[in-house]
Amino acid sequence: MNPTPILEVADIHVYYGNIHALKGVSLTINKGEIVTLIGANGAGKTTTLNAISGLVPTREGQVRLRGEALSGVASHLIVGRGIVQVPEGRRMFARLTVEENLRMGGYTLTRAADVQAGIDRAFEMFPRLKERRTQVAGTLSGGEQQMLAIGRALMAGPEVLLLDEPSMGLAPVLVDFVFDTISRLHAEGTTILLVEQNARMALQIADRGYVIETGMIVLSDLAANLRENDTVRKAYLGIV
């Protein structure tokens, strides 16, 4: 028996004016999986995440969480239902402190104890943030900002975590740290949809993967099979 997907993206179409950005994208994620979406710049990866999060409208198709349609649901309410996105470029509240940024991530929580528990978890996962708790976020390094972006997203206790290019612009040692963090979240049971230009590392930690080209899914398989696929190896892994 096939597992019931926690997240379903069914034939969604997204337009930016007259530009047809997503042309019938469909994908599924089962509870506890890491699924990666790989593709070239401009292929539609971020647009797919933004459509799931309600940040851009879909003209056709449907996004469902636990079978419940999300069309027309405001993005802040989608967070409350369990989908949280870590955006490309971190998107800090640059003039707020580390702790204030974390508290902003917990805006859906109604109990002060839950907010504090989320902050404690972020500081346990990222000790560097605890050291910087009163520092203004705009003055953090790129790696520290990525830690804060992930910690802020986890404040809401997401059922599905959307990660958009988490290793972008980071030094190799920090890239390893970010992927170790993703693996840790996976081990703890977090369901993850990962968009990542470092396809080699993404396919190493993912359960399954999708390849998107010019707004269309052109290939999907187990991550292990995609790593051995000749087209993927040539186009995204740099292996001839």
Side-chain angles (χ1 to χ4, degrees):
M1 181 181 295
N2 293 327
T4 301
I6 187 171
L7 179 67
E8 299 172 87
V9 177
D11 193 33
I12 62 171
H13 292 253
V14 170
Y15 289 77
Y16 295 118
N18 293 324
I19 298 172
H20 196 174
L22 296 185
K23 306 164 187 174
V25 167
S26 296
L27 56 86
T28 62
I29 305 176
N30 300 317
K31 186 173 177 61
E33 280 191 310
I34 297 180
V35 173
T36 187
L37 180 63
I38 61 175
N41 284 335
K45 303 186 301 295
T46 294
T47 298
T48 299
L49 295 192
N50 287 344
I52 293 169
S53 296
L55 296 172
V56 297
T58 56
R59 189 175 295 185
E60 299 176 43
Q62 189 59 261
V63 177
R64 291 185 288 268
L65 177 67
R66 301 182 303 276
E68 182 181 357
L70 297 180
S71 291
V73 178
S75 55
H76 69 284
L77 297 177
I78 289 175
V79 170
R81 294 188 187 189
I83 298 176
V84 181
Q85 183 171 338
V86 179
E88 179 182 348
R90 290 69 148 168
R91 305 284 184 89
M92 298 292 93
F93 296 100
R95 296 183 180 182
L96 300 184
T97 67
V98 166
E99 185 166 340
E100 287 168 341
N101 268 270
L102 291 173
R103 290 185 180 279
M104 291 294 287
Y107 77 92
T108 60
L109 304 176
T110 58
R111 297 175 63 245
D114 292 336
V115 174
Q116 189 58 52
I119 292 172
D120 292 343
R121 183 192 184 197
F123 287 163
E124 184 273 330
M125 182 171 284
F126 305 114
R128 184 78 62 85
L129 295 183
K130 187 173 184 178
E131 297 171 5
R132 305 280 195 272
R133 66 188 305 163
T134 61
Q135 186 169 328
V136 173
T139 64
L140 298 175
S141 70
E144 291 165 346
Q145 288 191 3
Q146 189 60 64
M147 296 175 200
L148 181 54
I150 294 173
R152 182 180 61 186
L154 294 176
M155 288 290 297
E159 286 193 69
V160 180
L161 184 64
L162 310 179
L163 294 172
D164 194 358
E165 303 287 6
S167 75
M168 180 179 286
L170 300 184
V173 65
L174 290 174
V175 171
D176 290 341
F177 177 79
V178 166
F179 276 90
D180 286 345
T181 300
I182 296 170
S183 295
R184 174 180 172 182
L185 293 171
H186 180 224
E188 292 174 354
T190 304
T191 303
I192 297 170
L193 177 56
L194 170 64
V195 162
E196 176 56 59
Q197 285 239 301
N198 190 334
R200 184 188 303 272
M201 293 194 72
L203 289 172
Q204 287 290 340
I205 67 168
D207 298 296
R208 295 186 297 112
Y210 292 84
V211 179
I212 187 170
E213 294 180 359
T214 60
M216 295 181 288
I217 300 295
V218 297
L219 189 60
S220 65
D221 208 334
L222 296 174
N225 293 340
L226 290 175
R227 291 198 301 269
E228 301 303 321
N229 181 282
D230 286 342
T231 300
V232 172
R233 288 164 67 87
K234 291 175 183 177
Y236 303 108
L237 304 183
I239 300 172
V240 179

